[in-house]
Amino acid sequence: MNDKIKQLVRPNIIKMDGYKSARDEYTDNQGTFLDANESPYGINNRYPDPYQNSLKAELSVLKSVNPNQIFIGNGSDEIIDLLFRVFCTPMQDKCIAFSPGYGMYKVSASIQDIEYIDVKLTNSFQIDKAALEPFFEYQNIKIIFICSPNNPTGNIIDHEDIEWILKTFKGIVVIDEAYIDFTESDSWITKMKKYDRLVILQTMSKAWGLAGARVGMAYTHPAIVTLLNKVKPPYNVSTLNQKAALQAINNSRVADIQMKAIITERKRIYKALNHIESIKRVYPSESNFILIEVDDANALYHTLIKQKIIVRNQSNKIKGCLRLSIGTPEENEQLLDALRNTNTQPIPFSEYGLTNNPDLINRH
Ligand SMILES: Cc1ncc(COP(=O)(O)O)c(C=O)c1O
């Protein structure tokens, strides 16, 4: 194994033997199978392919990577958890992530008793290099999570800053691209050749419309794929879920149309939200959601709930903010109507102003 990667792995994971399933021991798919204590009856009686080879073959064409650079998890949340299990020794190692950001990095770190270092993003939700750099001197920081486009803010993280992290930080750099299909920015997959310690997470839960199927992907160095395989439950992605993912890829025109519809709606809603006076700020988004700031996010959240419109209250992460997922045009109209008709006090026109960032419409 590549030494730079090996020295980052938990020593017990290097030493242990992974589980050998029946399908590891006999890999041909022809024969009379009496080796896995399956039922001989039924349509889903056989265990799934533990390495999801058909799905990886399709993904490898789609993403122009080798199948041995792909790991598939039961959602990308499973992969986040597995990365901690592979690289971080409980009560010893640490990880870094940015806030506001996706909550599961911290939860998975806590489950494994890994110290979680939270570095605040700047006011424009970019990486604060001066705040981050001192941590590179710390011992035992194994993983940095970067979410781009970021959830819940919706923006892309500057490529130069990520490149700087990849060059400066010696641990594993995870770039979570759950929302990459909604932006015109390039995926970091193209940089995999250059950086061995890079892990790119993508998912079929968003643009592919398969949140219910639980299929997430890591694109990374083959040695990291091998380590993830060693630690994962043997049959982590069900046959039904593998089939659902394959079907979606074979029918990718549908996902493409839906993805474009979501982007078109996002642009329309962004403009419409900017005309609602009670909304103080609408953050530009390259994702399938939009973050808004209002005077009283809790009150608005509950007003919407009363109308059975459920958005995500982010005010505990970012003051006054709600995150609105882009729905169908009808759902979005329902939301916009409700927002237009709330009783929140309008801000006097004379108080409108622009922030330093011309992209952000600030109505303080
Ligand atoms: C940034 C980010 N990463 C990962 C996930 C989890 O995705 P999955 O459904 O593949 O587990 C989400 C889900 O909302 C997310 O927002």
Side-chain angles (χ1 to χ4, degrees), residues 107-257:
V107 172
S108 292
S110 306
I111 291 168
Q112 296 296 319
D113 216 346
I114 302 305
E115 189 180 325
Y116 177 89
I117 298 170
D118 177 352
V119 178
K120 302 257 170 304
L121 294 171
T122 63
N123 288 342
S124 50
F125 302 134
Q126 290 298 332
I127 287 170
D128 183 343
K129 288 203 279 185
L132 174 63
E133 195 165 16
F135 291 112
F136 292 172
E137 303 300 318
Y138 280 39
Q139 293 288 302
N140 301 328
I141 298 193
K142 293 291 190 65
I143 311 180
I144 291 188
F145 290 91
I146 303 163
C147 187
S148 181
N150 189 35
N151 176 10
T153 58
N155 61 295
I156 283 281
I157 302 296
D158 280 347
H159 276 221
E160 299 81 69
D161 292 347
I162 296 183
E163 194 98 43
W164 170 78
I165 291 175
L166 282 162
K167 287 188 174 134
T168 320
F169 177 63
K170 299 285 177 276
I172 301 293
V173 178
V174 179
I175 306 180
D176 186 339
E177 294 187 336
Y179 301 97
I180 194 70
D181 299 301
F182 301 106
T183 161
E184 280 166 20
S185 275
D186 285 342
S187 161
W188 281 85
I189 287 181
T190 51
K191 298 288 174 79
M192 267 166 50
K193 274 200 200 86
K194 199 166 159 199
Y195 300 107
D196 289 351
R197 291 168 290 104
L198 172 59
V199 180
I200 294 137
L201 298 182
Q202 293 189 0
T203 177
M204 302 210 65
S205 299
K206 312 293 175 185
W208 290 95
L210 282 182
R214 314 305 302 124
V215 179
M217 293 79 73
Y219 299 98
T220 187
H221 190 283
I224 297 181
V225 173
T226 303
L227 288 159
L228 290 166
N229 280 334
K230 196 171 178 186
V231 173
K232 81 181 179 79
Y235 304 107
N236 62 325
V237 184
S238 78
T239 307
L240 301 180
N241 297 356
Q242 293 186 42
K243 274 194 188 144
L246 272 169
Q247 251 171 21
I249 293 171
N250 290 331
N251 211 359
S252 64
R253 228 173 54 86
V254 172
D256 221 46
I257 292 167

Side-chain angles (χ1 to χ4, degrees), residues 37-151:
N37 298 348
E38 298 152 327
S39 167
Y41 307 114
I43 46 168
N44 272 305
N45 57 328
R46 298 295 174 192
Y47 280 110
D49 171 2
Y51 301 109
Q52 310 94 17
N53 287 315
S54 310
L55 184 51
K56 284 181 185 169
E58 294 293 332
L59 289 169
S60 99
V61 174
L62 199 67
K63 302 287 172 179
S64 305
V65 297
N66 286 324
N68 69 357
Q69 294 174 299
I70 308 173
F71 177 84
I72 301 180
N74 186 31
S76 43
D77 280 341
E78 183 187 38
I79 310 179
I80 294 168
D81 176 71
L82 291 173
L83 287 165
F84 280 110
R85 291 170 193 265
V86 167
F87 292 107
C88 298
T89 299
M91 295 190 287
Q92 172 188 300
D93 290 337
K94 305 175 177 66
C95 73
I96 297 179
F98 302 93
S99 67
Y102 181 50
M104 276 308 289
Y105 313 133
K106 186 172 186 179
V107 172
S108 292
S110 306
I111 291 168
Q112 296 296 319
D113 216 346
I114 302 305
E115 189 180 325
Y116 177 89
I117 298 170
D118 177 352
V119 178
K120 302 257 170 304
L121 294 171
T122 63
N123 288 342
S124 50
F125 302 134
Q126 290 298 332
I127 287 170
D128 183 343
K129 288 203 279 185
L132 174 63
E133 195 165 16
F135 291 112
F136 292 172
E137 303 300 318
Y138 280 39
Q139 293 288 302
N140 301 328
I141 298 193
K142 293 291 190 65
I143 311 180
I144 291 188
F145 290 91
I146 303 163
C147 187
S148 181
N150 189 35
N151 176 10

